[in-house]
């Protein structure tokens, strides 16, 4: 599991990354941080979706083909809006309560996944991730978790 080295503070964010699956045929997750937990979003051969809800069944990962994925989460009144773009083309536009799909992290986990975006690969499948970017929207902030300069 790869945690982005920032703590996301706010409900509005956008993250983008390029990936290439180099072998295998299994999906990966990106975790959406929400208060008190996180929501795993599966990116796979036949879907983009939550554990128990497919948001599209038209997405295919092709081995050795670079793909750019951009996800945007914004408030929509009391609900949340999730938009997913593949190679800059809109693929998913979902509105509803993300909390309905929340997983609470184990209390023994020293990290707080409810504040971090992460990437998680499954099984005997290899991925290469590049050009990972995070942008906070609508006044949200992100706190760097590593020093940006070398201490004296």
């Amino acid at each position: 599991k790869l945690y982005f080295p920032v703590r996301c503070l706010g409900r509005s964010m956008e993250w983008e990354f390029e990936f290439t699956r180099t072998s295998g045929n299994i999906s990966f997750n990106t975790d959406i941080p929400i208060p008190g937990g996180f929501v795993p979003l599966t990116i796979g051969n036949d879907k983009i979706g939550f554990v128990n809800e497919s948001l599209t069944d038209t997405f295919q990962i092709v081995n050795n083909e670079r793909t750019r994925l951009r996800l945007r989460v914004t408030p929509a009144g009391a609900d949340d809006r999730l938009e997913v773009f593949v190679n800059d083309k809109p693929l998913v536009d979902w509105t509803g309560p993300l909390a309905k799909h929340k997983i609470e992290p184990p209390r023994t986990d020293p990290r707080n996944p409810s504040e971090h975006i992460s990437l998680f690969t499954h099984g005997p499948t290899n991925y290469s991730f590049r050009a990972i970017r995070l942008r906070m929207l609508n006044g949200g902030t992100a706190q760097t978790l590593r020093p940006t300069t070398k201490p004296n």
Side-chain angles (χ1 to χ4, degrees), residues 14-18 68-71 131-134:
E14 179 177 86
W15 62 107
E16 175 182 321
F17 53 90
E18 295 175 1
R68 183 174 44 255
L69 195 70
R70 181 165 39 106
L71 301 100
I132 299 171
R133 297 175 190 91
L134 168 66

Side-chain angles (χ1 to χ4, degrees), residues 34-139:
I34 63 171
F38 61 93
V39 176
L41 185 70
T42 300
I43 314 295
N45 281 341
D46 57 353
K47 78 170 196 172
I48 293 177
F50 305 120
V51 173
N52 296 316
E53 182 181 345
S54 181
L55 302 177
T56 181
D57 58 3
T58 60
F59 179 68
Q60 295 290 316
I61 297 174
V62 177
N63 282 6
N64 299 311
E65 183 177 297
R66 187 180 289 193
T67 303
R68 183 174 44 255
L69 195 70
R70 181 165 39 106
L71 301 100
R72 182 183 302 144
V73 175
T74 52
D79 287 333
D80 303 286
R81 181 177 182 194
L82 171 65
E83 297 170 272
V84 180
F85 302 84
V86 176
N87 296 325
D88 295 322
K89 294 181 179 140
L91 186 64
V92 171
D93 191 349
W94 176 88
T95 301
L98 281 173
K100 172 180 152 185
H101 303 283
K102 177 173 77 171
I103 293 177
E104 294 183 15
R107 297 201 190 283
T108 57
D109 191 336
R111 301 164 303 255
N112 183 352
S114 67
E115 297 175 341
H116 303 282
I117 295 170
S118 64
L119 296 169
F120 180 78
T121 60
H122 303 280
T125 298
N126 293 312
Y127 284 91
S128 172
F129 293 98
R130 296 174 198 80
I132 299 171
R133 297 175 190 91
L134 168 66
R135 185 171 62 147
M136 300 305 292
L137 306 171
N138 300 330

Side-chain angles (χ1 to χ4, degrees), residues 25-41:
N25 62 359
I26 299 176
S27 63
F28 69 92
N29 284 2
T30 185
D31 292 339
I32 304 168
I34 63 171
F38 61 93
V39 176
L41 185 70

